[in-house]
Amino acid sequence: MHADLARAEQLIAVVPDFPEPGVLFRDIAPLLADAGAFRVCVEALVEPFRGRFDVVAGIEARGFLLAGAAAVATGTGMVPIRKAGKLPRPAASVSYALEYGEAAVEASDDIPAGSRVLVLDDVLATGGTLRASHRLLAELGADVVGSAVLLELEALGGRAVAGDVHTVFTA
Ligand code: PRP
Ligand code: HPA
């Protein structure tokens, strides 16, 4: 791994018992606060897809930060994928199962059908959010060319659920 990326990985804070007892939470905020680390991570996220996408979709909430930066860095647009009930003009909604209960993701219809979309998020855990996001974009007529996350939590098996995902770091 490139030395700058290795340094960036060290900046991810590992927080025990957040948001509930027993969960080891990976917090990318210190990485984003470091200019060099933020830049190399955005470059690493988009690298395999360069020239192959028109729009970056970011998943609420930390995916917004990565997608906005990636869009500006690559001269593309950005679409927010939000939790249900937040958007004034939702055009599609996809529900998915959580450990307890259900959630839904929504997006507005602000990109032309056939737009080539790269989906970004901070963490791949069980994969439910990313899989629902793929379905959501398909409902809007987008062509999802790939997905990338900063950190894959391998033990949670998200790759089997969400399909092929480019990951910068694994834990
Ligand atoms: C986290 C993370 C991903 C999602 C991954 O978001 O940022 O979006 O969970 O989980 P999954 O692979 O099991 O679906 P969170 O639900 O904490 O939402 P937030 O970013 O709005 O706090
Ligand atoms: N960090 C951020 N999002 C998450 C995590 C985590 O450790 N686990 C599940 N979603």
Side-chain angles (χ1 to χ4, degrees):
M1 188 188 291
H2 192 284
D4 291 341
L5 271 181
R7 196 180 71 82
E9 185 174 19
Q10 296 303 314
L11 292 173
I12 298 173
V14 182
V15 185
D17 301 321
F18 183 87
E20 51 192 65
V23 176
L24 196 60
F25 191 83
R26 316 281 168 154
D27 179 13
I28 66 163
L31 182 161
L32 300 177
D34 183 288
F38 192 6
R39 183 176 48 76
V40 293
C41 285
V42 167
E43 283 169 4
L45 279 167
V46 303
E47 190 53 42
F49 309 100
R50 264 188 203 282
R52 295 200 285 123
F53 60 94
D54 315 301
V55 175
V56 186
I59 301 175
E60 186 170 356
R62 290 168 292 275
F64 294 168
L65 308 170
L66 299 168
V72 172
T74 56
T76 58
M78 190 271 170
V79 165
I81 293 178
R82 301 215 61 174
K83 306 285 165 62
K86 302 285 188 75
L87 287 172
R89 298 175 297 106
S93 180
V94 172
S95 300
Y96 60 103
L98 298 175
E99 193 177 359
Y100 299 104
E102 208 178 61
V105 284
E106 297 182 346
S108 303
D109 190 7
D110 295 326
I111 52 174
S115 294
R116 300 171 304 164
V117 179
L118 171 64
V119 187
L120 297 187
D121 205 353
D122 62 333
V123 168
L124 175 67
T126 66
T129 310
L130 192 53
R131 184 169 72 160
S133 299
H134 290 160
R135 290 180 175 172
L136 181 74
L137 289 161
E139 273 193 26
L140 292 173
D143 172 17
V144 177
V145 298
S147 296
V149 298
L150 259 190
L151 179 66
E152 175 183 359
L153 304 177
E154 260 180 335
L156 297 181
R159 186 170 286 274
V161 172
D164 192 30
V165 182
H166 169 56
T167 61
V168 179
F169 308 124
T170 52

